Amino acid sequence: MATNRRRNTTSYRTYGSVAYSPSYDGSAVRVPRREEELAPRPKQRQQVHRHERTRVEVRQAGQIAPFAVVGFLAVALFAVMLVTSYAQLTVANDEMVSLRRELSNLKAENVTLAAQYEKVFDLATIQAAVGDEMVRPTSDQVVYIDLSAPDTVTVYKSMGNASGLQAVLDGVGDIFESIVEYFR
């Protein structure tokens, strides 16, 4: 079932008029009297507001930190080294491709030369050319080589006894030499 509700919680209906409101506290603006309306008012000068620009305070430029300069130089050096290493990698890859192509050509040529060698190598023809002077080797003339051990190489490079600072300077010199050689 529907219940009836009251729409207004005040005790009076105002119909838009504030005079009948129970919550009126007397703070409404008073209507001026007729004498007050007729009395001349002193003219008030309108205040002109000047629009002033806000002052912008600029901070003075500080000194450049030496660690920032060293950091930027290090980043630039590493960027140059990265670019040169990528360029060297590209050159090495191109060389590898050309060497592989050359290897495949040499393998094909090896097969054809081995076939020609087998055609030329005929023991009967050699025996006829040499005669009876050709004899088989004896056991004391045969030498066997054992190639089962892995290959080893020893490279001797004289590195002078350089101190730590000298070794660092040599390393930096090598880097700059490789950069200069790249751009030649």
Side-chain angles (χ1 to χ4, degrees), residues 4-177:
N4 288 337
R5 288 187 178 183
R6 288 186 69 174
R7 291 188 178 185
N8 198 353
T9 58
T10 60
S11 60
Y12 302 106
R13 293 188 177 249
T14 60
Y15 299 110
S17 174
V18 179
Y20 298 109
S21 176
S23 63
Y24 178 71
D25 62 352
S27 66
V29 178
R30 176 178 70 81
V31 177
R33 295 183 183 169
R34 187 163 181 89
E35 298 88 32
E36 292 174 355
E37 286 181 1
L38 296 176
R41 290 186 181 175
K43 289 187 177 181
Q44 292 181 354
R45 189 174 185 182
Q46 289 182 345
Q47 292 181 355
V48 178
H49 295 288
R50 290 186 179 176
H51 182 69
E52 294 183 14
R53 289 188 175 177
T54 58
R55 285 183 128 182
V56 178
E57 293 185 18
V58 179
R59 185 178 71 173
Q60 292 181 354
Q63 294 179 348
I64 297 173
F67 289 115
V69 172
V70 170
F72 283 122
L73 290 177
V75 168
L77 177 68
F78 289 135
V80 168
M81 288 174 51
L82 181 69
V83 168
T84 55
S85 66
Y86 278 140
Q88 288 175 350
L89 178 66
T90 304
V91 169
N93 283 338
D94 289 341
E95 285 181 18
M96 184 180 66
V97 168
S98 65
L99 289 175
R100 282 187 181 172
R101 189 177 308 124
E102 185 179 345
L103 178 66
S104 64
N105 291 340
L106 289 175
K107 282 184 179 179
E109 186 179 347
N110 184 27
V111 169
T112 57
L113 290 176
Q116 288 177 359
Y117 177 74
E118 290 295 326
K119 283 182 187 177
V120 173
F121 183 70
D122 184 17
L123 192 56
T125 309
I126 295 174
Q127 185 71 35
V130 175
D132 291 334
E133 297 174 8
M134 191 165 122
V135 293
R136 296 222 176 252
T138 61
S139 63
D140 61 336
Q141 294 175 332
V142 176
V143 178
Y144 294 100
I145 300 174
D146 184 19
L147 297 177
S148 61
D151 292 338
T152 58
V153 175
T154 305
V155 177
Y156 295 102
K157 182 177 179 184
S158 63
M159 292 286 290
N161 293 337
S163 65
L165 180 62
Q166 184 64 32
V168 169
L169 291 176
D170 290 342
V172 170
D174 290 341
I175 290 171
F176 284 119
E177 286 177 10

